Amino acid sequence: MRVLHITTIDIGGAFKGAWRLNESLKNCGVESQIMVRTKRGNQREVLLAFSSVVLSLISKIKNGINRLFARGEITRDLLGTDLSKNNYVKQADVIVLHWVNSFLSVRDAIKLGELGKPIIWIMHDMWLFTGGCHYDGYCGKFEYKCGNCPLISGKKERDISRKNFYAKMNMMEKLEVLITGPSEWIVERAKHSNILMGKDVCYIPNAIDTNFYCPIGDIAKLREQFHIDSSKKVILFGAADNGTGNEKKGFQYLCEAFKSLQVYEYLLIIFGSASSHLNLPEGLEVLKTGYISDEDKLIELYNVADVFVAPSNQEVFGYTVCEAMACGTPAVCFPVGGLGEQVLHKKNGYLAKYHDAKDLAQGIKYCVEHTDELGKEARKSALKYSYEKVGKLFADLCGQL
């Protein structure tokens, strides 16, 4: 059985999910490959969809034209890339679509369906069943065919989000496709959209290499390498997707939480994109590592931390939380999406009341006081996302198609 994963670019959370699923399938003996439109990384195994630079440029130009029709944060992929004659697609027995925005149009997805090959579409965000947003901010308009989108200026009921919604409904009527989501939350949300009405939607979690993301023995020695005062409690925050300035990732709530903590007792480590000026209290020691491409170094950071904090507003899965837990570090977050499924309150971490900075601070204190016992349970919980378990689940699913 040959499985082909298709995603737009070889960076970002969706690619991480595709790559790890690809690896988990290969570990199960499945012939699996990834194909992208744009390749920026150094993974030699990643396939390019285009045989020439010219074809790649044409695809990017089409994406530029699509952006001309954007309204606010909502785009419309009217132009895309027809992959129905692609050699890798022809050789595949099962096609798995991941994040294909700016790559495939609705028409292109329909053409893939006309090949008669089994298609699985994985929801890494909410885009597949909304009028174009990746996270709806709890507006819930996808339950009513969108329109008058809060991300678009003006009050038009039949705006670009409504047009996108009907285009996706038409696409799904013509596609024989199985939909999966990496959290039970997004699966349940998807079932409330008319776009996916009548489609099979099931839960299969994201995968993580728990043999790689794991506890490291000598933490004291590791802290010495990072020049961390042994008396400090270490808080770790991952600043992905525009970093600390991204309100969706909730750094502002962590800043507010420090007002309820004795800041001199803590060291805050931020990896990713951190602003030069942060609204943090005086006396708090802060270490900014910048973007970390070396996963070995990232694992070291997870291990030196007493607690990982992820106060996101909405999150489909939450890879950084899963990675921290696999390394034996408890996490504090709000009970949203996949985070509320991974973190079990006061068992392997702490679920703070939604947008309650004081309770977030309480969760930080609780976790640093019970790091060892919570960390052991966090590690056990993360094992259910191992390559072995998720790979077998997905391989069995492919075999049933």
Side-chain angles (χ1 to χ4, degrees), residues 81-266:
T81 303
D82 181 6
L83 294 177
S84 61
K85 297 179 182 178
N86 180 280
N87 285 332
Y88 297 120
V89 170
K90 288 181 179 179
Q91 295 166 9
D93 297 308
V94 178
I95 297 170
V96 183
L97 299 179
H98 292 266
W99 198 87
V100 294
N101 303 84
S102 308
F103 186 13
L104 303 185
S105 68
V106 165
R107 188 181 297 108
D108 299 320
I110 293 172
K111 286 183 179 179
L112 283 179
E114 290 172 349
L115 295 175
K117 296 175 182 286
I119 296 177
I120 300 173
W121 203 323
I122 299 179
M123 301 179 292
H124 293 284
D125 55 30
M126 300 175 74
W127 178 88
L128 188 60
F129 57 89
T130 70
C133 65
H134 298 281
Y135 285 93
D136 74 337
Y138 301 104
C139 84
K141 289 198 171 188
F142 68 86
E143 297 185 33
Y144 308 99
K145 302 181 181 179
C146 290
N148 192 14
C149 177
L151 297 177
I152 302 173
S153 60
K155 296 291 183 179
K156 289 181 64 176
E157 195 64 34
R158 189 172 175 78
D159 59 14
I160 192 174
S161 73
R162 175 67 61 82
K163 293 174 183 177
N164 281 340
F165 199 96
Y166 280 121
K168 290 180 186 178
M169 284 182 64
N170 178 63
M171 173 183 69
M172 284 299 170
E173 286 175 2
K174 296 177 180 179
L175 269 181
E176 288 294 328
V177 61
L178 172 63
I179 314 295
T180 74
S183 64
E184 293 179 358
W185 172 80
I186 196 169
V187 168
E188 184 59 31
R189 293 285 80 208
K191 290 178 179 178
H192 286 76
S193 172
N194 285 340
I195 291 172
L196 299 181
M197 185 177 294
K199 296 296 181 185
D200 290 327
V201 185
C202 67
Y203 162 66
I204 292 186
N206 281 330
I208 183 172
D209 186 351
T210 51
N211 294 321
F212 184 53
Y213 282 86
C214 63
I216 297 175
D218 195 345
I219 301 299
K221 183 177 180 180
L222 195 58
R223 289 194 172 200
E224 285 180 12
Q225 293 177 16
F226 283 95
H227 307 289
I228 296 174
D229 187 332
S230 60
S231 67
K232 295 279 188 177
K233 296 298 183 182
V234 180
I235 299 170
L236 185 63
F237 178 85
D241 300 330
N242 298 322
T244 52
N246 184 349
E247 292 188 359
K248 295 177 182 177
K249 295 299 181 182
F251 184 71
Q252 65 272 24
Y253 298 108
L254 178 56
C255 293
E256 186 70 19
F258 278 114
K259 294 179 180 179
S260 302
L261 297 172
Q262 299 293 328
V263 294
Y264 61 86
E265 297 179 359
Y266 295 91

Side-chain angles (χ1 to χ4, degrees), residues 34-77:
I34 298 181
M35 184 176 71
V36 300
R37 185 201 72 181
T38 303
K39 188 172 180 179
R40 293 184 180 174
N42 56 7
Q43 290 96 338
R44 294 181 181 176
E45 300 90 345
V46 175
L47 307 171
L48 274 171
F50 305 106
S51 58
S52 72
V53 176
V54 173
L55 292 174
S56 177
L57 181 60
I58 291 172
S59 178
K60 292 177 181 178
I61 290 172
K62 288 179 178 178
N63 181 44
I65 295 172
N66 285 335
R67 289 180 178 275
L68 296 175
F69 296 95
R71 295 293 181 270
E73 296 180 26
I74 307 299
T75 59
R76 193 151 190 229
D77 292 340

Side-chain angles (χ1 to χ4, degrees), residues 368-385:
V368 299
E369 290 170 2
H370 303 86
T371 298
D372 290 340
E373 56 263 44
L374 291 175
K376 289 176 183 177
E377 291 302 315
R379 170 66 183 174
K380 290 178 184 177
S381 298
L383 291 175
K384 66 183 177 182
Y385 306 113

